[in-house]
Amino acid sequence: MARTTLLAVSTLFTAGALAVGCTRPPAAPPPQPSVSLPDDPHSFSRPREVAVSHLGLDLVVDFGTRTLTGTARLELDRHGEARELVLDTRDLEITGVTRDDGQVASFQLGDEKPFLGRPLTIELAPATKAVTVAYRTSPGAAALQWLEPAQTSGPHPFLFTQSQAALARTWIPLQDTPAVRFTYDAQITVPPELVAVMSAENAQTKSPDGRYRFRMTERVPSYLMALGVGDLEFRPLGDRSGVYAEPAVVEKAAWEFADTEKLIVAAEKLYGPYRWGRYDLLVLPPSFPFGGMENPRLTFATPTILAGDRSLVALVAHELAHSWSGNLVTNATWNDFWLNEGFTTYAERRIMEEVFGRDYADMLAVIGWGDLETGLAELPPEDTHLRLNLAGRDPDDSSSDIPYEKGALFLTHLERAAGRERFDPFLNRYFTEHAFQSMTTDSFLAYLDRELLAPAGLTREGLGIAAWIDGPGLPADAPRPMSAAFARVDAELARWRSGAAAASLETKAWTTHEWVHFLRGLPKDAASPRLTELDSAFGLSERGNKEVLFAWLLAAERAGFAGVQPAVERFLTSLGRRKFLMPLYAELAKTPAGKARALAIYRQARPTYHPVAVASVDGLLGWQN
Ligand code: BES
Ligand code: ZN
């Protein structure tokens, strides 16, 4: 009897594993589950009436005019009698719309709303199953950054997109809400000396005529639409992973990311099979406004993680983890953003623990705790809830460390309460059972009740869940992380603070993380001669590691140390990663003299930043054109 059961189970398991491991999914994925879609305050679309199920893109990339021109064919799932389709657009010039019966469709562009753009309303015939929109993007499209050769590492221009959160509508007319998922195919035409890559399957070979074809056979939300165009080379990292970058960067990138397959294996062990076929990375020029972006099959990454010692690969673990939390199970609106980022930050650390050990993951968690403390101190209380209310606000301006770090701590709190032996299979099943669906905070909590709390004899009240989700700050029983490695750093920091010479500090074994921790602990009132001594002992202002350099520059500016001013200017004019720009500009802006420096640097750097970073720094510095 026992034997029969075992056999049956293992047969089932094999069949299941084969089905999901297969890289050729069925030709037509099943329709979107008819869960009640939540209202999305950041989209004009009405997907309960008509939902886009497939997108066919055909675009020409023109570096001369800084525009994309072409068509988007939208295939539709119609749920009722609705006679119109409403799409999101922003700064798009619509040149015509046709229906699948070949007839011209009448359309109307509504009034422009700040950061939401304009609704595009298209009249449908009763039998219309698809429409084709002909359009052109504007040179200032917020999702696009067009780089001059001087902003790249070679003699060619570069273009990349950044669609999250609500920017896909600035380069594609679509239902720009994470509650709608669609498959896509694309034909992208670029100057023949350049290569195009997308968040999709591609041929992996250079096209002689500059024409590239892509297809994404799994349903994805609009914010995962991504395109990169540049002088790109590819280096394989493993059987299912590789890296694209400009020729001057690609070898360094391949070395840095050599552990990628190990990370994938660890993630699969925790959360189930990787469902996207390949996992490649694209290393962007330094103006990329984020650390990384989890575009499916092709993570976009900042070159600032190419530290030369593989010490910043937690970012790869993070973007890879989004292949489950985010890309497979997606926040239904940006109010539920913690379902993407909190789960991913938690999973990132579990993956890092699996590959590099507990001590390593502990360091990451303590650094995250520091980010959380900073966020809690700076934000109004209502912005520190896990569930947000972003109606009327730009989701791209409202992101903070809270969904990441408070979200990860909440999951750690659940993990501690239930034990890993229950919590790990719970998360794994959560991803499997909701694969390719969008999720609200409430539906997650209902699943949590049923699948973890009840079987473990736990309750929402007992765990204080309401306070985590809809309350400000951090509950008193939040699991504070500790790091043995950082305790040793703290001891050296205490010695330095009480007067020990910099050269006497025991720093030989320190990696990036110990340095970051040390520098974050430098006192606000550190005297300039002591900072000069520290800088010359450890060459801090000359560090190539951008995390260490950033932590140093920020601490030194905070202490009013003028010696770092040239390095700060070099730093702010050499990269566009928002996480580095914002705290530094904010620190400078605290004094009138610093604000003047900030504005002078920004005047010079602004044209080199991505529109997303420009919008943030404009707001911070009160920049007027
Ligand atoms: N998905 C985010 C980036 C993002 C968030 C873009 C919101 C636009 C709006 C990505 O996964 C991310 O979190 N990146 C982090 C790095 C990570 C290691 C914390 C970043 O860019 O700093
Ligand atoms: Zn993320």
Side-chain angles (χ1 to χ4, degrees), residues 294 318-319 322 340-341 344 404:
E294 65 271 27
H318 179 98
E319 304 312 336
H322 274 304
N340 274 19
E341 297 300 344
T344 297
Y404 290 78

Side-chain angles (χ1 to χ4, degrees), residues 162 164 290-294 315 318-319 322 337 341 404 577:
Q162 168 57 43
Q164 195 180 13
F290 294 101
M293 177 64 214
E294 65 271 27
L315 184 134
H318 179 98
E319 304 312 336
H322 274 304
F337 187 51
E341 297 300 344
Y404 290 78
R577 188 173 171 188

Side-chain angles (χ1 to χ4, degrees), residues 273-287:
Y274 178 74
R275 305 277 292 262
W276 303 90
R278 294 192 57 83
Y279 180 79
D280 294 326
L281 292 130
L282 168 66
V283 177
L284 291 145
S287 67

Side-chain angles (χ1 to χ4, degrees), residues 117-150:
R118 306 173 70 181
L120 169 63
T121 305
I122 298 170
E123 211 173 287
L124 304 176
T128 306
K129 287 274 188 303
V131 295
T132 300
V133 182
Y135 70 101
R136 183 175 302 122
T137 62
S138 86
L144 308 179
Q145 192 177 14
W146 301 86
L147 300 177
E148 297 291 343

Side-chain angles (χ1 to χ4, degrees), residues 79-128:
H79 302 305
E81 303 294 294
R83 295 294 297 270
E84 52 188 38
L85 166 70
V86 184
L87 302 176
D88 294 295
T89 77
R90 184 175 153 199
D91 298 330
L92 295 183
E93 185 190 334
I94 308 297
T95 52
V97 183
T98 51
R99 296 193 305 239
D100 47 355
D101 59 8
Q103 299 293 307
V104 169
S106 61
F107 67 90
Q108 194 199 331
L109 273 173
D111 291 342
E112 173 92 27
K113 292 261 169 58
F115 62 81
L116 296 178
R118 306 173 70 181
L120 169 63
T121 305
I122 298 170
E123 211 173 287
L124 304 176
T128 306

